[in-house]
Amino acid sequence: MSNRKASTAATISDVAKEAGVSTSTVSYVMSGNRPISKETREIVEAAMRRLKYSPRSSARALASSRSNVLGLVVPLRADVNVGVVMQFVTAVVTTARTFNQDVLLLTQDDAGSIERVTSQSMVDGLVMMDIEARDPRIPVLAKLDKPAVLIGMPDDPRGLSCVDFDFAGASRTAVRHLAELGHRGIAFIGSPPASLRRHATYADRALRGFEEACRELEVTHVSVACEANSKDLARALDKVFAGPESITALLVHNEGLLPILRENLAAHSFTVPEDISVVVIAPADVATSAFLPWTAVSIPAMDIGRAAVEMVMDRLSLAKPAELRLIAPTLSEGASTAAVR
């Protein structure tokens, strides 16, 4: 435990650091909304005593200026997978409740709706999803007097805090795994073309990580953007297998293709993993819900959404410098990869 001098200005984040737990755990201890082990509760309560942390007095001081509502900006564009988006939404909403916060969902992608809800004090802070490399909403957020956290990593965050999955690292992890199995020709089937045209950061970084890893490992590679439908997938596979490259593995970053991928590969006379190995970048439940689970680098939507809310709440309690947090990838082997024969 830390020996730093206790301070009446301590925040929930300070207590979490002192106790060696997450801010949500501290919140659970205070609210009783979830069961916490006796040992953890005692550790947190001891940290609160050492820091003279008083959640009641802090709440009273802020009550008059707080709406107890967080804004969640989620543009529902045609090129995003709504099922995956809703996992992030669920994570934000459930974590916000542990802080006794409601969530206002904003589905417009214009800056006007952001300015409206903040100027009228409808929200205490913002979480914004589906970030683009040069997102036009970021200059607006940077001027606000409300804390905002981006789920995504733009080229210039303008002093805003960001949290996201390391999509480039996910692609590198997948390519290394396939290369270790002996695959020397790998194709990347990625997000819809619209995601790449508008430079959605997850699409750009996954593709960049794939290309960098293939060059580093001297693996032959090809990439194809793909809409989430059978017709476009068939076109993409035609391009992959008709080229001069000898492709023996696929890396797929497009959750909408997974339910139809095996049947489309079968139409090209490929069986998974006997004839072709496949790694997917997708939430764990999407990867494991198939009859034969995919080998996957899992997108931790719950962890990312939880972290975004905790970062906003930290900044509501105490002005802190911008934080950039990337969640590292891990690979889980399923039934879709095998060594090259």
Side-chain angles (χ1 to χ4, degrees), residues 84-332:
V84 175
V85 168
M86 289 310 297
Q87 291 197 17
F88 286 93
V89 173
T90 300
V92 169
V93 170
T94 55
T95 305
R97 291 309 305 149
T98 70
F99 290 97
N100 296 315
Q101 298 285 311
D102 288 317
V103 174
L104 176 64
L105 186 63
L106 306 173
T107 58
Q108 298 294 324
D109 62 355
D110 64 288
S113 60
I114 296 172
E115 292 179 314
R116 184 177 67 255
V117 299
T118 53
S119 65
Q120 297 176 11
S121 297
M122 297 170 64
V123 299
D124 296 326
L126 290 165
V127 175
M128 193 164 80
M129 292 180 54
D130 196 16
I131 304 302
E132 297 174 2
R134 298 182 180 179
D135 201 300
R137 298 165 296 178
I138 290 176
V140 175
L141 289 172
K143 295 177 182 177
L144 298 177
D145 60 354
K146 306 281 186 180
V149 173
L150 311 180
I151 296 181
M153 295 285 178
D155 290 347
D156 181 4
R158 299 284 189 95
L160 298 172
S161 291
C162 307
V163 58
D164 204 4
F165 181 51
D166 185 358
F167 283 96
S171 290
R172 288 192 290 268
T173 297
V175 170
R176 283 195 296 268
H177 175 70
L178 291 168
E180 288 169 0
L181 291 173
H183 295 280
R184 307 309 301 167
I186 305 173
F188 180 87
I189 299 181
S191 299
S195 298
L196 293 168
R197 283 195 299 270
R198 64 186 180 83
H199 295 288
T201 58
Y202 57 85
D204 278 358
R205 288 188 288 119
L207 177 57
R208 183 167 63 247
F210 169 76
E211 293 174 340
E212 290 171 352
C214 287
R215 287 194 294 267
E216 178 184 338
L217 296 172
E218 298 182 345
V219 170
T220 300
H221 59 284
V222 61
S223 62
V224 187
C226 190
E227 301 287 353
N229 60 65
S230 284
K231 182 177 180 180
D232 213 48
L233 177 56
R235 176 198 62 79
L237 293 176
D238 284 342
K239 180 177 179 179
V240 166
F241 297 123
E245 301 87 357
S246 178
I247 300 299
T248 61
L250 302 177
L251 172 56
V252 179
H253 178 217
N254 189 323
E255 298 88 354
L257 296 176
L258 301 188
I260 58 175
L261 182 56
R262 278 193 172 90
E263 64 185 70
N264 274 270
L265 286 169
H268 284 74
S269 300
F270 287 103
T271 301
V272 179
E274 290 80 5
D275 302 310
I276 188 137
S277 286
V278 179
V279 177
V280 305
I281 301 174
D285 64 325
V286 175
T288 58
S289 63
F291 176 68
L292 295 173
W294 300 102
T295 295
V297 184
S298 299
I299 301 173
M302 289 300 296
D303 292 342
I304 295 168
R306 183 184 306 113
V309 173
E310 291 174 351
M311 290 162 75
V312 169
M313 296 308 298
D314 280 348
R315 279 147 189 77
L316 278 170
S317 301
L318 179 68
K320 298 179 67 174
E323 179 181 358
L324 303 179
R325 188 186 306 179
L326 274 180
I327 296 179
T330 58
L331 183 139
S332 300

